[in-house]
Amino acid sequence: MGFMWAIFMPMLIVSAGIMVKYVFAKFSGNPLSMAQIATVAVKALPWSFFVASLRFATNSLTSNINLVTKIYFPKEIFPISAVLSQLFDFSIASVVLVTVLIVAQVGVSIYLFFIPLLLALLVFLVIGLGIFLAAANLFFRDVKYIVEVVITYAIFFTPVFYETEMFGDWASIILINPVAPILESFNDCIVRQAMPQLDWLFYSAMISFLLPIFGFIYFKKLEPVFAERI
C-alpha cells in the first residue's frame, strides 16, 4: 500500500470513532451531526500520530542493532527520526482531514493560529517519551510489549471518541493525561472555533518541554553501555 498506510490507519480510527458517536447519539435520541464527525476526525488524527510515533520510537534502537553497535554517532537520532517519519505521514493524512472538515462545513477562525503550537507540543511530548522508552527497551525487552498494551487501551482514557465535559466534575481526571488537553485544544480551535483551555494547555506544555530533557539525560546516561546490552 505504500504511503496509503498514512491514510488508512487514521481513517480506521476515525471510522471506529464515528461508530461510537453513532451509538451515543442513538441512545440519547439525538441525530449524529456533522460537527460530531468532524470532532472525531480532528482528535483521531493527532492521536494516531502519537500512537504510531511511540510504537516506532520504542523499537528504533533494537531494530537498528548493526548501526547502534558498529557506527559512532548520536544514537538519539533513531527515536527522533522515527517520530519525524510519522510526522510526514501525519501531513499526508491531514489532506484527508481537510476534506472531511470541508464536507462538514467547518469554517475558518483566528484560533487556527494555535495549531502549530499544539502540534509542536505533541511532537515534543512523543519525542521525550520515545527517547526514554527506546533506551529502556534496550535494557528491558518487555518494555515494547508493555507499550503495545498501554497504547491499545489508552484510547479509552483519552478524549478521542468523547469530550471531557461528558464527565462533569470528573473531567479533570481525564485531563491529567497530558495528551488529553492537546487533543481537546485541537477540537476547540478547529471545530468549536474557540479559545482552548489555557490552564490545562499550559500543564501539557510544561510536561512536553520537561519530558524531552529528562529523556535525553536518561538516554545519554545509558548510551555508553548500549553495545553491551544488545
Side-chain angles (χ1 to χ4, degrees):
M1 290 179 62
F3 75 93
M4 288 299 294
W5 281 109
I7 300 175
F8 176 73
M9 292 307 296
M11 289 303 100
L12 193 63
I13 297 178
V14 170
S15 300
I18 291 174
M19 291 179 61
V20 172
K21 284 286 188 182
Y22 175 77
V23 172
F24 284 166
K26 193 76 173 177
F27 277 97
S28 64
N30 299 317
L32 182 66
S33 66
M34 292 301 295
Q36 291 175 308
I37 294 176
T39 294
V40 172
V42 163
K43 294 198 286 187
L45 184 58
W47 173 252
S48 176
F49 160 73
F50 177 83
V51 168
S53 297
L54 202 59
R55 178 181 290 117
F56 283 104
T58 300
N59 295 296
S60 60
L61 292 179
T62 54
S63 60
N64 292 280
I65 291 176
N66 291 334
L67 293 176
V68 173
T69 56
K70 296 180 180 179
I71 303 175
Y72 178 77
F73 59 92
K75 305 301 188 298
E76 60 270 19
I77 288 177
F78 288 112
I80 293 175
S81 63
V83 174
L84 294 181
S85 67
Q86 294 305 310
L87 186 61
F88 176 75
D89 289 352
F90 175 85
S91 64
I92 296 175
S94 295
V95 177
V96 179
L97 175 61
V98 171
T99 304
V100 172
L101 294 177
I102 292 174
V103 173
Q105 298 182 342
V106 176
V108 178
S109 72
I110 194 173
Y111 299 107
L112 292 179
F113 285 106
F114 277 95
I115 301 304
L117 171 62
L118 298 176
L119 185 56
L121 293 180
L122 193 61
V123 169
F124 276 112
L125 181 63
V126 74
I127 284 178
L129 282 172
I131 290 176
F132 175 82
L133 292 173
N137 186 50
L138 203 60
F139 289 81
F140 308 100
R141 297 303 172 90
D142 289 342
V143 168
K144 63 181 178 182
Y145 302 114
I146 296 173
V147 169
E148 286 294 332
V149 171
V150 170
I151 62 179
T152 298
Y153 293 100
I155 195 168
F156 298 109
F157 307 101
T158 309
V160 180
F161 297 159
Y162 56 84
E163 288 73 53
T164 53
E165 57 261 26
M166 293 175 57
F167 294 87
D169 295 336
W170 297 91
S172 57
I173 297 178
I174 301 296
L175 291 171
I176 291 176
N177 175 356
V179 182
I182 298 176
L183 296 183
E184 287 292 275
S185 296
F186 271 113
N187 187 48
D188 288 337
C189 296
I190 298 175
V191 180
R192 295 177 177 175
Q193 300 181 6
M195 179 73 73
Q197 299 182 51
L198 296 181
D199 50 351
W200 282 107
L201 189 58
F202 179 75
Y203 160 76
S204 290
M206 291 296 295
I207 295 178
S208 296
F209 284 111
L210 291 176
L211 198 57
I213 296 174
F214 173 76
F216 183 79
I217 293 173
Y218 177 78
F219 192 95
K220 283 301 182 182
K221 182 179 180 180
L222 297 180
E223 188 175 12
V225 292
F226 278 177
E228 299 175 12
R229 300 300 301 188
I230 288 179

